[in-house]
Amino acid sequence: SNNTFADEHLSLSGYLQGGYSWNSDSNPEATFYLKRARLSLTGSAPEEKFDYRLQVDMAGSPKICDLYFRYKPSSALGVQLGQFKIPFAIENDLYGPTTVELIDYSYITTLLARNAARFDGIAATGRDIGVQLYGGFGGNKDYQTLSYNIGIFNGAGINKNDDNNAKDIVARLIYKPSKELSVSGSVMITKTNIGPATIKSNRAALGAIYD
């Protein structure tokens, strides 16, 4: 029945993050604000090893944040296609504000993962449009000793076509010697349009977390 399909394959959720800011510089201001107002539609078909997500943000100018499909035939190999968090560093897609209960990412992540600050002219909530392969090996049912992501992305940000003929390559390895400890290394090879020029803005990251 339609109700059974909805129960099994459609799940709606959301969250709000707001705040209050005040400053007393040359243009003093004080304001309440909405940082995020997210709605997510997710679903999966475990027998087909398939899942999807649609997430929109209604704060400020409404926009699509995530729209992706994943197919994972085994724990060692999966493919993800659409618009989603790029696998650069460990904070951007694995330990964000909804995990650590802070309203912002660290400043270095907002810069290098293109989350908000404009390191190379792009502020894209840490997301891009593309395709990635991912998976892991070893460990047990609770964690994988070695996991990887490697993807090709437009490099222009969210909800946008590419604006040059280059593609971003993003790769990450995460080593977990135990369930609690993760050590990561990642690289991002990218060319970005800055005014009339297309420049290289490659970057790399090392990180660790004990959870």
Side-chain angles (χ1 to χ4, degrees):
S1 69
N2 289 336
N3 287 340
T4 300
F5 177 86
D7 290 341
E8 293 180 352
H9 302 297
L10 301 174
S11 177
L12 186 65
S13 62
Y15 67 95
L16 296 171
Q17 287 181 310
Y20 179 82
S21 68
W22 171 84
N23 69 63
S24 58
D25 59 15
S26 57
N27 296 302
E29 63 179 14
T31 183
F32 294 100
Y33 65 93
L34 274 180
K35 180 74 173 183
R36 299 176 182 91
R38 301 281 175 86
L39 286 174
S40 294
L41 179 66
T42 59
S44 64
E47 63 280 3
E48 282 88 24
K49 302 178 180 179
F50 165 84
D51 72 321
Y52 72 90
R53 184 179 193 184
L54 168 63
Q55 180 176 223
V56 297
D57 191 352
M58 306 304 292
S61 299
K63 59 181 175 290
I64 296 173
C65 293
D66 296 297
L67 177 55
Y68 65 74
F69 304 89
R70 295 189 299 192
Y71 173 64
K72 193 172 185 181
S74 71
S75 61
L77 178 64
V79 60
Q80 183 173 4
L81 175 67
Q83 180 170 286
F84 50 90
K85 290 272 190 178
I86 61 172
F88 182 78
I90 199 169
E91 182 183 9
N92 186 47
D93 59 330
L94 298 178
Y95 289 92
T98 58
T99 302
V100 296
E101 300 300 337
L102 300 174
I103 200 167
D104 279 321
Y105 292 83
S106 65
Y107 190 63
I108 194 68
T109 294
T110 68
L111 282 172
L112 297 184
R114 295 171 172 161
N115 198 288
R118 296 181 181 273
F119 172 71
D120 56 5
I122 300 173
T125 71
R127 295 171 169 85
D128 213 319
I129 302 172
V131 59
Q132 74 166 341
L133 300 178
Y134 65 98
F137 309 90
N140 55 45
K141 64 181 180 66
D142 293 324
Y143 70 95
Q144 293 175 304
T145 302
L146 186 67
S147 59
Y148 70 91
N149 302 72
I150 181 166
I152 301 175
F153 301 88
N154 279 342
I158 60 172
N159 306 315
K160 292 177 62 179
N161 294 338
D162 205 349
D163 54 4
N164 58 42
N165 61 1
K167 290 290 178 284
D168 286 7
I169 298 174
V170 185
R172 181 180 65 198
L173 284 175
I174 298 177
Y175 173 60
K176 290 180 69 70
S178 67
K179 181 181 178 180
E180 296 81 13
L181 178 63
S182 299
V183 180
S184 76
S186 54
V187 295
M188 183 173 172
I189 301 171
T190 174
K191 290 183 179 180
T192 307
N193 288 357
I194 303 293
T198 300
I199 66 167
K200 292 182 179 179
S201 56
N202 300 338
R203 60 208 72 178
L206 293 173
I209 187 162
Y210 186 81
D211 186 356

